[in-house]
Amino acid sequence: MIKFKINDKEVQARSGWTVLETARQYGIEIPTLCFHESVASSGACRLCMVELREENWSKLVASCIYPVSEGINVYTETERVQNVRRWIFEMLLSECPSSKEVKEMAKKYGVFKTRFPVQNPNESCMLCGLCTRVCEEVVGLSAIATLDRGVHKKVGAPFLRPTEVCVACGCCVTICPTNAMRSRIDSVRSNTKMQLAKAA
Amino acid sequence: MPKENVAIKSENWRLNSHKDLNDLQKDIIESRDPNRLEVVVCHGTGCIANGSPKVSSAIRESLLGAGINVKLMPGIKTTGCHGFCSRGPLVIVRPHGFFYQRVTPKDAEEIVKKTLMEKQPVERLLYKNPKTGKTILTEKEIPFYSLQERIVLHNIGKVDPTDIKDSIASGGYQALAKALCSMSPEQVVKEVEKSGLRGRGGAGFPTGRKWRSALKAIEKKGYPAYVVVNGDEGDPGAFMDRTIMEGDPHAVLEGLIIGAYAIGAKQGYLYVRAEYPLAIKHLEIAMEQAREYGLLGENILNTGFSFDARINRGAGAFVCGESTALFTSIEGKAGNPRPKYVRSVEEGLWGKPTVLNNVETWANIPLVIEKGADWYSKIGVPKSTGTKVFSLVGKVNNVGLVEVPMGIPLVKIIEDIGGGVIGGENFKAVQTGGPSGGCIPYSLKDTPVDFDSLTKVGSMMGSGGMIVMDKHDCVVDIGRYFLRFLEEESCGKCIPCRLGLIRMRKILDGFSSGTGTKQDIDDLISLSQALQDGALCALGSSAPNPILTTLKYFNNEYLSHIENHKCPAGVCKELITYSINADKCTGCRSCARQCPKQCISGDKKKPHVINTENCIRCGICMETCKFEAVIVS
Ligand SMILES: Cc1cc2nc3c(=O)[nH]c(=O)nc-3n(C[C@H](O)[C@H](O)[C@H](O)COP(=O)(O)O)c2cc1C
Ligand code: SF4
Ligand code: SF4
Ligand code: SF4
Ligand code: FES
Ligand code: FES
C-alpha cells in the first residue's frame, strides 16, 4: 500500500493507481470530462488538475494520469487549480454552449457565464476524444478519429465522409459526455450500414 | 596512400582501427598541397537561394576560359553556411584567405584574373567595417567572426560536407575512435557528465545526467534502447540546426554513434523536418560514406560494436519537436504529445529507454570526448559550459549564425558581433528562445547569455533564436505574431492550449484595434497562469512567456494602446495616423501618385496633405517619400 495525503488527509492506494482513482475511492470530488474507466486516459481536458506541494516547490498535474507515490501531498482546491478550472469552463461555455452537461458542471464549480463570445450556439462537442478512444480501444475499429490540429481540430470519420468501417455499435454515442456524438453519428455511418442497422 | 589510390575497391576503404583512421588522415593531408589555390563558395540553403551555385559555376567557367595549366588548376569547394548570411554569397580564396562578400556571377572573371592569377585581392568585394570604414582582407579579421568562438561550427565553411575525407582530414571521427578504442562506455558517460554539457534543444537538461538515467532504465528494463537526434527545428527564424546538419553532418553522426556506444544502443534515428531537404541529403550521404569507411554499421572500427541509424522526415509540425510527440511521429502515428508522467529516457520510442538530444547537443559530443571534459568546461560559465549557436535575426546589421561562449553579455552579441541595430540606435528588445521565450529589454542588455540568467529575466535559451527589435517593433504586435504561430501549431489535444491561445490572441487583437481595457490585462495574466499550469505539453505551458515578459518590461506600451489608443511603435494600423511634415515636403508628388486611395492632395512644389478619413494606413507614401516628410503617429 502506498500512503500519501490529499487535502492534508491520509489516504492509501495500490501501486499503479492514479491520484484520481484514489480520490474517488475516498469520496473526494475532482471534476473530469475526458476520463472514462473503459478507455486509456488521455489527459486532454485538464479539468482534473490538482496541485502537488513540497516544501519549496509546487506544480499542477493531471490527476487522471498522475501515478500515486509514497508521501506526496495533493491539494484539489487551491487557487491555481481553481484558476485553471475556471478558465476551462469559461472557454467551454463559449465553445460548446449547447452542452447541458458542461453547463451543469461549470455551475457546480461556480462558473455561470463566460466573458467570451459564443462561437457556434449549436455546438456541444468539446473534443475530449472519448468517442475516438472507445472506437479504437474497445470496439477495435478506429472508424472515427481526431482530424486536423489546433483550433481546426474536429472528430469524425476520415475526410469527414461516411465510412464503411463503422458498425453502428453506438459505443461512441454512449460514452460521449456531452451528447454531441448523438447528432453526429449519422455523418459517420455509411448508407449501407445504416440500412443494415435498420433492417436488423 | 595518395588520394587517387584510395578509391580502388570499397572493401579497401574500411577502417579497422584507430591507427587506420590516423593513417588515412595523414595520407589525405599529405596528398594535399597546402599552398594550392582553393576557392571556397558557401552553399547553405540561404545563399543557394541567393545564387551561390551560379557563382561557383561562373568561377569554374572563367577558370576554364583562362587556360590555366591543369596541374595548377585551383580547386573549387562548396561548403555549408559560414553564418554571415546578410553578406552572402561568400567566396574565400585560400591560402591567402581573401574574403569576398555579396558575390555575383559577374564578379567571377575579376576574381579569377586578379586573385587566382595575379594573387591580388579584388578591393570592391572585400568587407568594409561599417564602424571604422576600413576595408578588411580576411575572414579572421572581421569583427563578426573574430569575436565569436566557433568550436561546434569549426568545420562549417571549411569542409565539403559531402566528402567524408574532408571531415577526416580535419579531425572527424577521432573522438569516436578514441571512445571506441580506448574508453569504456562508463568512461564516456562520466566524461559527458563532467563536461557540464546541457541540452541545446530548449530546456537545458544536463546531457550526462540524461544518459545516466538511460543506463539506469536499461538496467531495469533491458534492451533495446535507442538514441535519437531531434532535428525538427521549428522556431520561426531559427536555422542553427539546419546549418549544422547541412554543413557538418559528420559531427552530428559522430556524436550520435558515441552516444549509442555509451548506452549500448544498436539503432538510432535522425528526425529531421521535411522542409530541410539539403540537410537530409547531406546526412544521407554522410551515413553512406561512414558505412563504407566502417564508421557506422556492423563492427565499427573492428571493435565489435555495431550500430546503425536511419533518417525520419518530420511531419512538418512545430509540436513534433516535443519529445513525446516526436516519438509518436517516428512510431508512425500522429505527432501528438503523450500525456505521461514518465520521463522519455525511461519510456521513449516504443516504450523503450531512449536518449533524445538536439542536433547541436550531439555535435558537441565529439568535442567533449576528443578534447576532454576539463577543456570543455573551461569554456563558458560554471553552470552553462561550452558555447551556444544563435541565429541572429531582426533589425540587426549582421544577420546570421553566431557561436559564442555561454555567459557573454547580450549586448556584445547584438552590438559587437551583430554590428548593432540598423540605423545605429539602441535595440529596443531582444526575443530569445523563440515563441516560448521572452523579450529582454535594452535596460537588461548586460544580462549574461546562459541558461539560468535568461530564465531569471523571464526568458529562456530555447534552441537559440535571437530576434532583435528596434523602436519600430510593437510589443503587442510581436505577441500577436507568436500566438498566431502557436495557435496554428498547437496539436489541439488539450483545452487550455487549443482554446486558450486563441482567446489570448483575441485579447491582444483588441489592444491593437483600440478596444482593449485594463480588465483585459488582468485577464491576460490570469489566463496565462492557467496555460502555464494547465497545458499538457510545453508548447502550451510556455506560450505565455512572450506576453508576460512584455507586460512586465513594456507595460506602458500596452497602456498606451489601451488608454490613449496609440501605438508608440507605429505598427498597429488602427491606432496610427499618417501625416505630412510641411517643412520637409518638397511637393514632389511621388506619394500622391503612389497612394492607392488617392487621398493625398496638394499643388506641385507645395506641401501636400493627407486626407486621413480615406487613408487605409498602408504606409506606401512613407516608403515612397525620399525626404522623410511623411510621419506616422
Ligand atoms: C513544442 C516544442 C517544440 C520543440 N521543438 C524542438 C526542436 O525543434 N528541436 C529540439 O531539439 N528540441 C525541441 N524541443 C525540446 C525537446 O522536447 C527536447 O527537450 C530536446 O530535443 C531534448 O534535447 P536536448 O536535451 O539535447 O536539448 C521542443 C519542445 C517543445 C515543447
Ligand atoms: S463527440 Fe463527444 S466524445 Fe467525441 S470528442 Fe466530442 S465531446 Fe468528446
Ligand atoms: S499544450 Fe498544446 S500542443 Fe501541447 S498537448 Fe496541449 S494542445 Fe497539444
Ligand atoms: S498611408 Fe497609404 S492610403 Fe494613407 S495616405 Fe499614405 S499611401 Fe495613401
Ligand atoms: S479528466 Fe484528466 S485531463 Fe481530462
Ligand atoms: S550560406 Fe552563404 S553565408 Fe550562409
Side-chain angles (χ1 to χ4, degrees), chain A residues 44 46 62 80 87 115 126 150, chain B residues 341 490 494 498 523 526 533-534:
Chain A
R46 317 307 281 176
R80 277 165 78 188
W87 283 107
R115 70 195 77 193
M126 38 111 189
Chain B
Y341 291 101
S490 157
C494 73
R498 173 166 53 86
D523 284 359
S526 153
D533 281 339

Side-chain angles (χ1 to χ4, degrees), chain B residues 351-402:
Chain B
K352 303 294 181 224
T354 304
V355 166
L356 170 73
N357 278 123
N358 164 263
V359 167
E360 191 183 332
T361 315
W362 286 117
N364 268 283
I365 297 294
L367 291 168
V368 170
I369 297 303
E370 200 196 342
K371 308 212 167 157
D374 288 331
W375 173 85
Y376 189 87
S377 58
K378 282 203 190 82
I379 305 166
V381 289
K383 289 209 167 137
S384 299
T385 56
T387 60
K388 178 76 193 88
V389 182
F390 289 98
S391 56
L392 195 57
V393 296
K395 304 285 176 57
V396 64
N397 276 306
N398 304 336
V399 166
L401 210 65
V402 305

Side-chain angles (χ1 to χ4, degrees), chain B residues 240-485:
Chain B
M240 307 66 65
D241 295 347
R242 184 187 78 198
T243 303
I244 296 174
M245 292 186 284
E246 280 177 9
D248 197 5
H250 288 288
V252 182
L253 198 55
E254 186 180 358
L256 185 69
I257 307 170
I258 295 172
Y261 174 69
I263 69 156
K266 297 246 168 305
Q267 179 67 43
Y269 295 86
L270 297 103
Y271 189 85
V272 187
R273 65 183 339 209
E275 291 90 333
Y276 285 179
L278 191 65
I280 293 176
K281 186 173 142 202
H282 285 184
L283 283 167
E284 270 169 356
I285 295 173
M287 283 162 58
E288 205 172 296
Q289 293 179 341
R291 280 191 204 104
E292 282 165 11
Y293 280 81
L295 297 165
L296 181 68
E298 287 296 315
N299 194 12
I300 295 173
L301 282 170
N302 206 21
T303 57
F305 173 66
S306 302
F307 167 78
D308 216 327
R310 50 171 297 180
I311 294 175
N312 275 73
R313 278 157 214 256
F318 177 64
V319 74
C320 287
E322 194 272 341
S323 49
T324 60
L326 186 145
F327 296 144
T328 51
S329 176
I330 292 183
E331 288 165 14
K333 293 173 239 159
N336 287 350
R338 260 184 227 160
K340 274 210 176 137
Y341 291 101
V342 195
R343 282 178 309 155
S344 55
V345 281
E346 287 166 37
E347 280 190 21
L349 266 179
W350 292 289
K352 303 294 181 224
T354 304
V355 166
L356 170 73
N357 278 123
N358 164 263
V359 167
E360 191 183 332
T361 315
W362 286 117
N364 268 283
I365 297 294
L367 291 168
V368 170
I369 297 303
E370 200 196 342
K371 308 212 167 157
D374 288 331
W375 173 85
Y376 189 87
S377 58
K378 282 203 190 82
I379 305 166
V381 289
K383 289 209 167 137
S384 299
T385 56
T387 60
K388 178 76 193 88
V389 182
F390 289 98
S391 56
L392 195 57
V393 296
K395 304 285 176 57
V396 64
N397 276 306
N398 304 336
V399 166
L401 210 65
V402 305
E403 181 177 354
V404 290
M406 294 268 191
I408 185 175
L410 182 64
V411 65
K412 264 191 104 159
I413 302 182
I414 312 298
E415 297 292 337
D416 301 346
I417 299 173
V421 165
I422 300 167
E425 289 189 35
N426 291 338
F427 65 84
K428 170 176 175 175
V430 178
Q431 169 86 17
T432 70
S436 339
C439 228
I440 304 172
Y442 185 75
S443 58
L444 294 174
K445 66 181 192 320
D446 294 318
T447 305
V449 177
D450 61 61
F451 287 106
D452 306 312
S453 305
L454 289 179
T455 310
K456 217 188 279 161
V457 298
S459 183
M460 63 180 224
M461 181 75 79
S463 54
M466 209 173 248
I467 306 173
V468 182
M469 301 173 210
D470 70 0
K471 64 175 188 205
H472 301 297
D473 290 305
C474 162
V475 291
V476 175
D477 191 62
I478 302 280
R480 288 168 73 202
Y481 166 79
F482 282 125
L483 286 178
R484 223 178 289 125
F485 171 81

